[in-house]
Amino acid sequence: METAAPSAVIVAIDGPSGTGKSSTSKAVADKLGLRYLDTGAQYRAITWWMITNGVDTEDPQAVAVAAAKPTIVSGTDPAAPTITVDGVDASGPIRTQEVTSKVSAVSAVPEVRTLITELQRSIAAGAEGGIVVEGRDIGTTVLPDADLKVFLTASAEARAARRSGELRGKEAADLATTREALIKRDAADSGRKTSPLAKADDAVEVDTTELTLEQVIECVVTLVEEKRAGRK
């Protein structure tokens, strides 16, 4: 007797930086045979393009005019997610401190959010079998009808420690500096007029402060499996 394939499921995982969104989302997608999309990478990609093409990222009008120029393509294999800008691999360049410091300003421009949101919805709609989409406004704006919404949180101290551990060489920063940068980013993302960082009313909140990555992954996998089982 053949076992029926699990039903397709769309999972939205939101939360601020340093909560374990990317690691959790990739692992959950991999374990459950789903596709994976890092929406933050797309905003970083368009920010990197702006920087390399001399667009003033502090000038919303200039950013708006240039927003439709780059072609961003996201690979959705959780084991090896890719992102290219105009055919160029941008996975490394988008992680620099310069991009990090400017991505909130670029992301706040409505024209940028409209274009990237449309791209994200298109990718999610075309994901055979389902997808885990991570970001800051997935459950509230991008995919408000997602089958499962998860909002990851953690203390500023825990998030700063994790982010400092991710930085290397010249870009390594002390905890206080990293914590300050995270709080500033949170304020910018939560306070923007267009699609602010916010927890959807029907999202499951998971505080990762005292949890290991493996525990967070297991928690989300369980939530997805429960959602699938409830639809049978």
Side-chain angles (χ1 to χ4, degrees):
M1 181 177 174
E2 288 187 7
T3 303
S7 58
V9 62
I10 293 179
V11 182
I13 299 184
D14 290 309
S17 300
T19 54
K21 284 199 311 293
S22 294
S23 298
T24 298
S25 299
K26 279 187 281 191
V28 169
D30 192 47
K31 279 177 176 285
L32 297 176
L34 303 172
R35 308 309 292 174
Y36 161 75
L37 178 61
D38 175 2
T39 64
Q42 295 175 320
Y43 284 106
R44 284 177 170 273
I46 198 168
T47 300
W48 173 68
W49 184 91
M50 297 281 175
I51 293 169
T52 55
N53 284 274
V55 178
D56 182 0
T57 57
E58 295 300 319
D59 181 348
Q61 189 173 350
V63 171
V65 169
K69 293 181 179 179
T71 298
I72 298 170
V73 178
S74 297
T76 59
D77 179 355
T82 59
I83 187 157
T84 63
V85 181
D86 294 337
V88 177
D89 178 12
S91 55
I94 64 172
R95 302 295 173 183
T96 64
Q97 193 57 46
E98 183 179 21
V99 170
T100 299
S101 67
K102 295 179 178 180
V103 66
S104 284
V106 173
S107 300
V109 177
E111 289 82 356
V112 170
R113 297 208 76 81
T114 297
L115 284 164
I116 298 295
T117 295
E118 288 175 357
L119 174 60
Q120 291 161 0
R121 287 174 177 162
S122 174
I123 292 170
E128 225 175 289
I131 189 169
V132 177
V133 184
E134 62 137 315
R136 286 171 167 74
D137 66 339
I138 310 307
T140 54
T141 302
V142 180
L143 300 169
D145 296 323
D147 299 298
L148 173 67
K149 301 174 187 178
V150 179
F151 192 86
L152 300 184
T153 64
S155 69
E157 288 73 22
R159 294 192 292 124
R162 292 167 186 167
R163 291 313 295 268
S164 289
E166 293 171 3
L167 299 173
R168 301 172 185 168
K170 292 187 294 182
E171 301 213 336
D174 61 61
L175 279 177
T177 302
T178 304
R179 180 177 182 277
E180 185 179 329
L182 283 174
I183 292 173
K184 184 177 179 182
R185 175 87 189 269
D186 290 348
D189 290 345
S190 300
R192 64 173 177 246
K193 292 181 180 179
T194 307
S195 302
L197 163 67
K199 174 179 172 285
D201 292 338
D202 55 346
V204 178
E205 184 169 327
V206 178
D207 188 335
T208 70
T209 303
E210 302 294 335
L211 300 178
T212 64
L213 176 59
E214 288 71 24
Q215 288 173 322
V216 179
I217 293 166
E218 191 54 44
C219 174
V220 178
V221 164
T222 299
L223 289 170
V224 177
E225 289 179 331
E226 287 175 351
K227 179 62 67 173
R228 277 177 164 174
R231 287 166 49 178
K232 289 180 180 177

